[in-house]
Amino acid sequence: MVNRGIRGATTVSNNEENEILRETVVLLREIVERNDVIAEDICSVWITVTGDLDATFPARAIREIEGWDLVPLMCSVEIPVKGGLPMCIRLMVQVNTDKSQRDIRHVYLNEAQRLRPDL
């Protein structure tokens, strides 16, 4: 078994607590479903947001999912690159798995699909 990173990103329309929390859960659930993982397999989750999202900590949404209360979570602010995608939430889910790097399914939702059109 090895540790693999699963990337994901989504965007919100507003810097609003409920929308940030909701879209964080949607993104995480999609990552989990596409990669067939459970919380027990997760080493940790790194969460970044762009500087324009400061209404809440996205980790709050993950912490409230049943079975995810012991998963280590960390929030940070994304590097403010000029011209970067605004209103963006990114996840790096580190999972213990037997899957190869090629079998990992990264997830990009909403406007974040622009970040990885190859996927």
Side-chain angles (χ1 to χ4, degrees), residues 2-4 38-46 68 70-73 92-97:
V2 296
N3 188 266
R4 301 270 186 220
I38 60 172
E40 185 66 26
D41 295 332
I42 305 299
C43 172
S44 62
V45 180
W46 285 93
W68 286 76
L70 298 178
V71 175
L73 307 172
M92 171 70 81
V93 180
Q94 295 177 280
V95 60
N96 297 311
T97 183

Tab-separated table of all heavy atoms in Angstrom, residues 2-4 38-46 68 70-73 92-97:
chain	number	residue	atom	x	y	z
A	2	VAL	N	0.493	2.236	-0.785
A	2	VAL	CA	1.240	3.491	-0.885
A	2	VAL	C	0.309	4.661	-0.581
A	2	VAL	O	-0.906	4.500	-0.517
A	2	VAL	CB	1.863	3.672	-2.291
A	2	VAL	CG1	2.891	2.586	-2.573
A	2	VAL	CG2	0.800	3.679	-3.360
A	3	ASN	N	0.912	5.825	-0.415
A	3	ASN	CA	0.130	7.039	-0.195
A	3	ASN	C	0.078	7.808	-1.503
A	3	ASN	O	1.113	8.098	-2.092
A	3	ASN	CB	0.772	7.881	0.919
A	3	ASN	CG	-0.100	9.034	1.325
A	3	ASN	OD1	0.056	10.139	0.815
A	3	ASN	ND2	-1.009	8.774	2.234
A	4	ARG	N	-1.143	8.118	-1.956
A	4	ARG	CA	-1.345	8.852	-3.199
A	4	ARG	C	-2.116	10.133	-2.913
A	4	ARG	O	-2.948	10.182	-2.009
A	4	ARG	CB	-2.155	8.030	-4.203
A	4	ARG	CG	-1.559	6.718	-4.576
A	4	ARG	CD	-0.665	6.861	-5.769
A	4	ARG	NE	-0.205	5.550	-6.201
A	4	ARG	CZ	1.005	5.295	-6.602
A	4	ARG	NH1	1.904	6.248	-6.663
A	4	ARG	NH2	1.357	4.096	-6.972
A	38	ILE	N	-12.632	5.264	1.519
A	38	ILE	CA	-13.394	5.557	2.731
A	38	ILE	C	-12.533	6.412	3.655
A	38	ILE	O	-11.305	6.478	3.479
A	38	ILE	CB	-13.841	4.262	3.449
A	38	ILE	CG1	-12.624	3.419	3.841
A	38	ILE	CG2	-14.810	3.472	2.570
A	38	ILE	CD1	-12.948	2.220	4.718
A	39	ALA	N	-13.156	7.049	4.614
A	39	ALA	CA	-12.435	7.955	5.515
A	39	ALA	C	-11.257	7.269	6.198
A	39	ALA	O	-10.207	7.878	6.403
A	39	ALA	CB	-13.389	8.549	6.546
A	40	GLU	N	-11.400	6.017	6.539
A	40	GLU	CA	-10.336	5.278	7.221
A	40	GLU	C	-9.070	5.182	6.364
A	40	GLU	O	-7.966	5.058	6.887
A	40	GLU	CB	-10.832	3.875	7.596
A	40	GLU	CG	-9.863	3.071	8.416
A	40	GLU	CD	-9.616	3.646	9.812
A	40	GLU	OE1	-10.484	4.351	10.355
A	40	GLU	OE2	-8.527	3.386	10.361
A	41	ASP	N	-9.213	5.270	5.042
A	41	ASP	CA	-8.067	5.199	4.124
A	41	ASP	C	-7.354	6.542	3.968
A	41	ASP	O	-6.281	6.601	3.375
A	41	ASP	CB	-8.529	4.762	2.725
A	41	ASP	CG	-9.091	3.355	2.715
A	41	ASP	OD1	-8.693	2.533	3.563
A	41	ASP	OD2	-9.930	3.075	1.833
A	42	ILE	N	-7.947	7.607	4.477
A	42	ILE	CA	-7.417	8.951	4.266
A	42	ILE	C	-6.330	9.259	5.286
A	42	ILE	O	-6.534	9.150	6.496
A	42	ILE	CB	-8.539	10.011	4.360
A	42	ILE	CG1	-9.679	9.694	3.407
A	42	ILE	CG2	-7.979	11.412	4.119
A	42	ILE	CD1	-9.319	9.660	1.953
A	43	CYS	N	-5.175	9.678	4.784
A	43	CYS	CA	-4.073	10.107	5.642
A	43	CYS	C	-4.343	11.518	6.152
A	43	CYS	O	-4.240	11.788	7.348
A	43	CYS	CB	-2.787	10.047	4.832
A	43	CYS	SG	-1.364	10.756	5.654
A	44	SER	N	-4.705	12.427	5.214
A	44	SER	CA	-5.008	13.814	5.569
A	44	SER	C	-5.607	14.508	4.358
A	44	SER	O	-5.539	13.994	3.251
A	44	SER	CB	-3.751	14.559	6.037
A	44	SER	OG	-2.798	14.617	5.000
A	45	VAL	N	-6.176	15.682	4.608
A	45	VAL	CA	-6.733	16.493	3.536
A	45	VAL	C	-6.197	17.914	3.689
A	45	VAL	O	-6.369	18.539	4.746
A	45	VAL	CB	-8.281	16.526	3.558
A	45	VAL	CG1	-8.813	17.397	2.423
A	45	VAL	CG2	-8.860	15.123	3.478
A	46	TRP	N	-5.541	18.395	2.645
A	46	TRP	CA	-5.095	19.796	2.579
A	46	TRP	C	-6.144	20.562	1.809
A	46	TRP	O	-6.555	20.143	0.730
A	46	TRP	CB	-3.751	19.903	1.866
A	46	TRP	CG	-2.613	19.454	2.713
A	46	TRP	CD1	-2.074	18.207	2.764
A	46	TRP	CD2	-1.887	20.239	3.648
A	46	TRP	NE1	-1.060	18.176	3.666
A	46	TRP	CE2	-0.927	19.412	4.231
A	46	TRP	CE3	-1.977	21.574	4.044
A	46	TRP	CZ2	-0.041	19.865	5.192
A	46	TRP	CZ3	-1.088	22.027	5.007
A	46	TRP	CH2	-0.132	21.179	5.571
A	68	TRP	N	-15.726	11.264	9.431
A	68	TRP	CA	-14.574	12.075	9.050
A	68	TRP	C	-14.020	12.898	10.216
A	68	TRP	O	-13.108	13.694	10.028
A	68	TRP	CB	-14.943	12.998	7.890
A	68	TRP	CG	-15.049	12.249	6.604
A	68	TRP	CD1	-16.067	11.433	6.205
A	68	TRP	CD2	-14.083	12.218	5.570
A	68	TRP	NE1	-15.793	10.903	4.977
A	68	TRP	CE2	-14.578	11.367	4.554
A	68	TRP	CE3	-12.848	12.831	5.387
A	68	TRP	CZ2	-13.876	11.111	3.388
A	68	TRP	CZ3	-12.151	12.578	4.219
A	68	TRP	CH2	-12.663	11.725	3.234
A	70	LEU	N	-12.061	12.177	12.620
A	70	LEU	CA	-10.672	11.913	13.008
A	70	LEU	C	-9.664	12.153	11.877
A	70	LEU	O	-8.466	12.041	12.086
A	70	LEU	CB	-10.533	10.472	13.515
A	70	LEU	CG	-11.365	10.144	14.763
A	70	LEU	CD1	-11.192	8.680	15.133
A	70	LEU	CD2	-11.006	11.051	15.927
A	71	VAL	N	-10.142	12.490	10.685
A	71	VAL	CA	-9.248	12.738	9.560
A	71	VAL	C	-8.553	14.090	9.763
A	71	VAL	O	-9.217	15.101	9.958
A	71	VAL	CB	-10.022	12.737	8.218
A	71	VAL	CG1	-9.098	13.119	7.069
A	71	VAL	CG2	-10.667	11.378	7.976
A	72	PRO	N	-7.218	14.126	9.719
A	72	PRO	CA	-6.510	15.400	9.862
A	72	PRO	C	-6.815	16.328	8.672
A	72	PRO	O	-6.702	15.912	7.512
A	72	PRO	CB	-5.036	14.999	9.871
A	72	PRO	CG	-5.023	13.553	10.261
A	72	PRO	CD	-6.287	12.984	9.673
A	73	LEU	N	-7.188	17.562	8.983
A	73	LEU	CA	-7.533	18.559	7.976
A	73	LEU	C	-6.707	19.816	8.206
A	73	LEU	O	-6.449	20.189	9.351
A	73	LEU	CB	-9.021	18.925	8.069
A	73	LEU	CG	-10.022	17.782	8.031
A	73	LEU	CD1	-11.420	18.295	8.340
A	73	LEU	CD2	-9.991	17.079	6.685
A	92	MET	N	-6.451	18.513	-1.579
A	92	MET	CA	-5.448	17.483	-1.834
A	92	MET	C	-5.724	16.395	-0.804
A	92	MET	O	-5.403	16.549	0.381
A	92	MET	CB	-4.029	18.017	-1.664
A	92	MET	CG	-2.969	16.925	-1.717
A	92	MET	SD	-2.723	16.198	-3.316
A	92	MET	CE	-1.681	17.440	-4.042
A	93	VAL	N	-6.364	15.331	-1.250
A	93	VAL	CA	-6.724	14.220	-0.380
A	93	VAL	C	-5.613	13.191	-0.474
A	93	VAL	O	-5.355	12.636	-1.543
A	93	VAL	CB	-8.082	13.610	-0.802
A	93	VAL	CG1	-8.455	12.455	0.120
A	93	VAL	CG2	-9.173	14.679	-0.803
A	94	GLN	N	-4.938	12.953	0.636
A	94	GLN	CA	-3.849	11.982	0.673
A	94	GLN	C	-4.418	10.665	1.192
A	94	GLN	O	-4.881	10.584	2.328
A	94	GLN	CB	-2.724	12.490	1.553
A	94	GLN	CG	-2.076	13.736	0.968
A	94	GLN	CD	-1.013	14.281	1.873
A	94	GLN	OE1	-1.318	14.972	2.838
A	94	GLN	NE2	0.230	13.961	1.563
A	95	VAL	N	-4.376	9.654	0.326
A	95	VAL	CA	-5.049	8.394	0.616
A	95	VAL	C	-4.070	7.226	0.559
A	95	VAL	O	-3.178	7.191	-0.290
A	95	VAL	CB	-6.234	8.177	-0.367
A	95	VAL	CG1	-5.765	8.146	-1.798
A	95	VAL	CG2	-7.019	6.938	-0.039
A	96	ASN	N	-4.229	6.292	1.482
A	96	ASN	CA	-3.467	5.047	1.467
A	96	ASN	C	-4.218	4.082	0.559
A	96	ASN	O	-5.398	3.801	0.782
A	96	ASN	CB	-3.336	4.480	2.878
A	96	ASN	CG	-2.559	5.409	3.776
A	96	ASN	OD1	-1.486	5.885	3.418
A	96	ASN	ND2	-3.106	5.703	4.943
A	97	THR	N	-3.529	3.583	-0.464
A	97	THR	CA	-4.216	2.790	-1.482
A	97	THR	C	-3.259	1.838	-2.180
A	97	THR	O	-2.049	2.031	-2.141
A	97	THR	CB	-4.875	3.721	-2.530
A	97	THR	OG1	-5.600	2.931	-3.467
A	97	THR	CG2	-3.863	4.573	-3.237
